[in-house]
C-alpha cells in the first residue's frame, strides 16, 4: 500500500511526520491518515509528499529496480494505485495501472487509468510537470483552466499540469486512458 511505502521512505530518511508536513504543505493529520492507509490521497498530495521526501512519485508504485528496458505485456499490467480527491460528493476513484513500475530512474510515469463514470462533482488540481493523455475507451472531459475539452476514443491532449485541471468521464460510461505524466526532479 502507498501509505506503508511512504512511512518506510520517511523513516529510512529519518524524517518525522511534522517535518514532512512542513515540507509538503500538508497537515500532519492528513499524512498520518495516508500512512495508515485510512484515506486514498489524490495525485497532488502524493506529488507533494514525493518532492518532500526527495523521490519520484513512481517510487510509491515501484516493485523492482531495473535499469534496462521494461516491457509490459497485454494482460500483465497490474493495478498500482487508486486515487481520490477526498472531497465530499466527489468521484471516489481513478484506478491507475502502472506500465513501468519495474523501471528505475525513470523521468516519466506511464499509466493506464480506468476512470469510473458518475455525475459527481470534482475539484481541480495542479502540480508541476506535464501530462499527455490518449483516450483508449469511452469519452472524457478535461477541464483545464477556464476551458473544457471533450475527447473521444483516439483523441489525445498534452498540457502543462501547473494549470488547474481535472479529468473525468462524460455520460454514464466508464473510460480508459493512457496517461504519461512528467514531473521534473
Amino acid at each position: 500500500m502507498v501509505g506503508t511505502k511512504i512511512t518506510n521512505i520517511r523513516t529510512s530518511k529519518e524524517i518525522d511526520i511534522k517535518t514532512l508536513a512542513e515540507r509538503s504543505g500538508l497537515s500532519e493529520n492528513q499524512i498520518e491518515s495516508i500512512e495508515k492507509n485510512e484515506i486514498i490521497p489524490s495525485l497532488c498530495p502524493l506529488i507533494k509528499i514525493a518532492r518532500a521526501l526527495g523521490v519520484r512519485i513512481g517510487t510509491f508504485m515501484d516493485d523492482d529496480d531495473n535499469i534496462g528496458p521494461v516491457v509490459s505485456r497485454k494482460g500483465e499490467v497490474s493495478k498500482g494505485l487508486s486515487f481520490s480527491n477526498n472531497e465530499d460528493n466527489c468521484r471516489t476513484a481513478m484506478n491507475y495501472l502502472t506500465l513501468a513500475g519495474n523501471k528505475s530512474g525513470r523521468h516519466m510515469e506511464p499509466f493506464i487509468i480506468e476512470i469510473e463514470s458518475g455525475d459527481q462533482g470534482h475539484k481541480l488540481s495542479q502540480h508541476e510537470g506535464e501530462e499527455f493523455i490518449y483516450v483508449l475507451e469511452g469519452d472524457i472531459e478535461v477541464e483545464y483552466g477556464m476551458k473544457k475539452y471533450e475527447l473521444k476514443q483516439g483523441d489525445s491532449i498534452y498540457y502543462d499540469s501547473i494549470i488547474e485541471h481535472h479529468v473525468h468521464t462524460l455520460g454514464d460510461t466508464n473510460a480508459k486512458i493512457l496517461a504519461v505524466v512528467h514531473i521534473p526532479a
Side-chain angles (χ1 to χ4, degrees):
M1 305 273 313
V2 69
T4 304
K5 287 188 178 187
I6 291 170
T7 302
N8 292 341
I9 293 166
R10 180 181 58 74
T11 55
S12 73
K13 292 180 176 258
E14 299 180 356
I15 299 171
D16 61 22
I17 290 178
K18 181 178 180 179
T19 303
L20 181 56
E22 290 169 359
R23 289 181 183 176
S24 66
L26 303 174
S27 73
E28 290 180 43
N29 288 339
Q30 187 176 10
I31 291 172
E32 288 172 353
S33 294
I34 291 168
E35 286 191 354
K36 291 177 184 175
N37 297 304
E38 294 173 344
I39 63 171
I40 301 168
S42 69
L43 190 56
C44 189
L46 281 180
I47 290 169
K48 290 177 179 181
I49 291 170
R51 285 205 165 276
L53 292 173
V55 298
R56 296 174 297 99
I57 189 167
T59 303
F60 303 141
M61 296 169 237
D62 289 349
D63 293 326
D64 298 313
D65 290 326
N66 185 345
I67 59 172
V70 172
V71 175
S72 295
R73 302 264 184 222
K74 181 179 179 178
E76 293 178 355
V77 177
S78 60
K79 281 207 168 133
L81 295 174
S82 293
F83 295 120
S84 167
N85 57 12
N86 299 316
E87 296 290 323
D88 292 336
N89 303 316
C90 288
R91 179 182 35 75
T92 56
M94 294 176 78
N95 299 312
Y96 284 62
L97 297 90
T98 183
L99 295 175
N102 298 337
K103 175 68 174 151
S104 65
R106 64 187 179 273
H107 301 285
M108 299 181 296
E109 301 295 340
F111 302 101
I112 298 291
I113 304 174
E114 298 169 340
I115 308 172
E116 297 173 7
S117 66
D119 187 27
Q120 298 145 334
H122 59 270
K123 181 179 177 184
L124 298 175
S125 66
Q126 67 183 84
H127 53 86
E128 291 182 47
E130 301 171 328
E131 296 183 31
F132 171 80
I133 293 173
Y134 180 85
V135 182
L136 299 168
E137 297 174 9
D139 299 332
I140 66 166
E141 180 177 73
V142 178
E143 194 167 338
Y144 184 75
M146 302 295 285
K147 294 186 177 184
K148 295 181 181 181
Y149 300 91
E150 292 185 10
L151 303 174
K152 299 187 178 303
Q153 182 177 357
D155 293 344
S156 66
I157 187 170
Y158 188 113
Y159 55 86
D160 293 315
S161 44
I162 194 71
I163 306 297
E164 288 188 324
H165 60 281
H166 191 272
V167 178
H168 48 272
T169 61
L170 283 173
D172 297 332
T173 306
N174 293 349
K176 187 183 288 188
I177 62 174
L178 167 67
V180 181
V181 179
H182 174 263
I183 301 166

